[in-house]
Amino acid sequence: TLLYSTGGPVQSVAMTLVSGDDYSVQIGPFGEATRLEIAVEAEDTALQTVVFPAAPGPDAHHAWVSDAHYADGDVVVNEIQYTDACYGGLDWVELVNTTGAAVDLSFWFLRDNQDDHVFQFPAGTSIAAGEYLVVAQNAAEIVSNYGISNVVGDVADGLSSAGDAVRLYDVNDALVDQVYYEVTAPWPGAPVGTGPSLSLMDAALDNADGSNWEASAASCGTPGSSNDLDSFAPAVTQAGIYNGDRVRVFFNEDLDPASQALATNYLLDGSPASSVTLLDGSSVELDFGTTFAQGVSVSLDVSGVSDLAGNVMTAASFVLSWWPTNAVVINEIMQNPLAVTDEFGEWIELYNPNLYSVNLRGWVLKDDGTDSHTISPEADLLIAPGAYLVLGSNSDTGLNGGAPVSWAWGSEFALGNGTDEVVLVAGLTEIDRVAYDNGATFPDPNGFSMELIDVVSDNAVGANWMTAQTVYGAGDHGTPGAANSVSAPEAPMVSIVSSAGQVTLSWDPMPRAS
């Protein structure tokens, strides 16, 4: 038996077995926009009855009588804010009515890529012809933050910053529009974590195609109004030599693939690239048919590259140099001084094992978290062959406990007293890395530095480090700027043999301290 109501008394009508377990009955007709509350009563052969899902009323299944059928493109998903960078990470979706009449959205549905993540529009919700409506996680906050009123909510589930779906269904759960957005080309990458919304270039375009979307030119998007589209040219965020024989260039947004791949847009000392490989929508790898000599500077010019909106970048030039892995060695670490505070007394010592000087200009000192500091970006900072150089939190020996710090990192970098990483990066090359571990395998001293036993030892291995033995400055132990106290090798034994005008030199290997 079908039980139904249009808001008045409950009506019942017997249903007819069609086949198998299928039953059917015809009711009505009913007027436009009539809400039907529907339930089914069934009785088994033992005369036991059940009503499902509930008796007609607010909890019953319902359907709407409507002759209005909306085509794809009538109500369009026009803007999506999924980033966590604006106003506490509040997500929202903007819809636009492209028809010539108001659209009643009462009891429509919005879902992400999961069917049980569903928002039902309140009764009385509508969009006037050509107007916009914002569906928000927190409607009150969006009204307050953006100063708009055409907002409904609250949506329980946010949108993923790794890609998700926005699906719009009418009152009878028929799909009206859907967007499955991604965060890699051809979808714009800029909205990921940076603030601007994902904005459709034109409501008449296919919003399922990622190339029809841009990052909003407004810092946090334009909910409730026409989209503020990209009018900014792309810019290079990083350029560097990779693996000694390639150049990689990274841009701040996705690019037009044709201009991105044009070799003449990239000149090295005046010569174009011999080949261009697109790493993704916003970066390239360039082959200039050369192997780069370590420490030798070259000039890279980038021009003519345009973004997906057709904005052409301003020409830019970069001076690049390449240093190989282990060009310098992290040789000593003072992570927890006692004679002075950590704020002033932390330092690390670098050693140059090569027969040539190494220039630290523009290198980056970082950890695996958020600490990052650019070393001497405006001037050369050289380590001579076989020499030591100290980087520290403060270069004033009267404040830092007496360490001869050649470059101070200030507040942009700090050494954790227990577990942390010390990472040196030159351009795109990780030069050296030490990850100490709160005493599990590395020393864990207070007021003493950790010293590498031998500059040729693997400094990634905790057993190759010991606690310093020598007092310096204000009373802490360490050897900043000098050979380590835990390694005192004897001079090698050299023999000289002369025979028939040929002189042969030989020597014993330098012993390592144990």
Side-chain angles (χ1 to χ4, degrees):
T1 301
L2 177 71
L3 308 175
Y4 68 94
S5 170
T6 59
V10 176
Q11 308 293 317
S12 63
V13 58
M15 304 185 74
T16 301
L17 178 64
V18 178
S19 64
D21 295 324
D22 295 336
Y23 289 77
S24 176
V25 67
Q26 180 175 334
I27 58 175
F30 302 97
E32 177 76 13
T34 299
R35 173 184 164 105
L36 283 171
E37 298 166 353
I38 300 170
V40 174
E41 182 182 80
E43 181 181 275
D44 65 14
T45 55
L47 304 182
Q48 299 179 97
T49 61
V50 63
V51 177
F52 181 82
D59 296 326
H61 179 76
H62 72 268
W64 290 86
V65 177
S66 176
D67 290 326
H69 299 285
Y70 293 98
D72 184 22
D74 287 348
V75 181
V76 173
V77 177
N78 188 57
E79 191 173 1
I80 303 170
Q81 175 59 287
Y82 63 81
T83 175
D84 294 331
C86 290
Y87 303 119
L90 298 173
D91 293 340
W92 49 264
V93 173
E94 179 191 83
L95 307 176
V96 60
N97 174 6
T98 66
T99 73
V103 175
D104 184 0
L105 301 183
S106 298
F107 306 110
W108 284 36
F109 302 93
L110 194 73
R111 294 182 173 92
D112 60 14
N113 65 351
Q114 299 186 55
D115 289 338
D116 58 347
H117 289 182
V118 58
F119 169 77
Q120 187 176 53
F121 290 74
T125 304
S126 67
I127 314 180
E131 293 300 320
Y132 304 87
L133 180 71
V134 177
V135 189
Q137 269 189 286
N138 188 318
E141 288 292 333
I142 297 301
V143 168
S144 174
N145 292 329
Y146 290 92
I148 59 176
S149 59
N150 48 339
V151 184
V152 295
D154 293 337
V155 178
D157 304 290
L159 295 168
S160 172
S161 295
D164 208 334
V166 179
R167 299 180 290 163
L168 180 66
Y169 297 82
D170 72 11
V171 68
N172 287 316
D173 224 7
L175 184 65
V176 175
D177 193 29
Q178 63 179 351
V179 174
Y180 282 83
Y181 67 86
E182 300 176 14
V183 297
T184 56
W187 294 86
V192 183
T194 61
S197 64
L198 186 64
S199 299
L200 189 61
M201 296 179 188
D202 190 302
L205 296 174
D206 180 5
N207 62 3
D209 184 347
S211 63
N212 290 331
W213 293 79
E214 293 181 356
S216 174
S219 59
C220 287
T222 56
S225 60
S226 59
N227 291 346
D228 188 0
L229 298 178
D230 182 8
S231 60
F232 299 100
V236 175
T237 58
Q238 186 180 21
I241 297 170
Y242 178 77
N243 206 32
D245 61 357
R246 298 287 192 278
V247 172
R248 288 187 172 182
V249 183
F250 300 85
F251 297 84
N252 64 339
E253 61 176 315
D254 286 339
L255 307 172
D256 169 64
S259 69
Q260 182 185 7
L262 188 60
T264 53
N265 286 340
Y266 312 95
L267 303 178
L268 189 75
D269 289 338
S271 299
S274 56
S275 68
V276 180
T277 301
L278 276 57
L279 300 177
D280 56 33
S282 60
S283 61
V284 294
E285 183 174 278
L286 311 172
D287 182 2
F288 290 94
T290 186
T291 298
F292 296 95
Q294 54 196 22
V296 176
S297 296
V298 293
S299 178
L300 175 71
D301 296 299
V302 183
S303 63
V305 179
S306 62
D307 62 16
L308 295 173
N311 302 303
V312 181
M313 70 169 291
T314 302
S317 296
F318 306 88
V319 176
L320 309 180
S321 61
W322 176 74
W323 297 96
T325 299
N326 297 323
V328 299
V329 176
I330 299 169
N331 186 55
E332 190 171 0
I333 301 172
M334 172 58 84
Q335 88 276 24
N336 190 19
L338 290 182
V340 293
T341 64
D342 288 7
E343 178 185 3
F344 297 107
E346 293 180 347
W347 50 265
I348 65 171
E349 177 191 82
L350 309 179
Y351 173 74
N352 179 5
N354 305 291
L355 298 178
Y356 49 83
S357 293
V358 174
N359 192 350
L360 302 184
R361 180 176 181 172
W363 288 25
V364 174
L365 175 66
K366 61 188 286 291
D367 62 11
D368 289 341
T370 59
D371 288 0
S372 180
H373 173 76
T374 300
I375 302 167
S376 189
E378 304 297 333
D380 291 344
L381 183 62
L382 301 176
I383 311 181
Y388 303 88
L389 185 140
V390 179
L391 309 175
S393 55
N394 191 285
S395 59
D396 187 338
T397 55
L399 296 175
N400 70 16
V405 172
S406 296
W407 181 264
W409 59 64
S411 61
E412 294 183 337
F413 185 79
L415 295 168
N417 288 344
T419 299
D420 207 348
E421 306 83 29
V422 182
V423 185
L424 276 175
V425 178
L428 302 179
T429 304
E430 184 172 287
I431 300 297
D432 199 16
R433 162 187 290 267
V434 173
Y436 56 90
D437 56 14
N438 203 26
T441 62
F442 280 75
D444 186 27
N446 296 322
F448 294 75
S449 70
M450 294 185 292
E451 294 185 334
L452 190 60
I453 294 172
D454 191 319
V455 292
V456 299
S457 299
D458 183 356
N459 61 4
V461 177
N464 290 334
W465 293 78
M466 292 182 66
T467 300
Q469 305 297 313
T470 302
V471 176
Y472 74 94
D476 282 326
H477 289 68
T479 56
N484 292 344
S485 60
V486 297
S487 177
E490 299 178 357
M493 298 296 294
V494 180
S495 65
I496 304 175
V497 177
S498 176
S499 176
Q502 178 74 33
V503 177
T504 303
L505 304 181
S506 62
W507 52 88
D508 295 331
M510 184 180 291
R512 298 180 182 180
S514 60

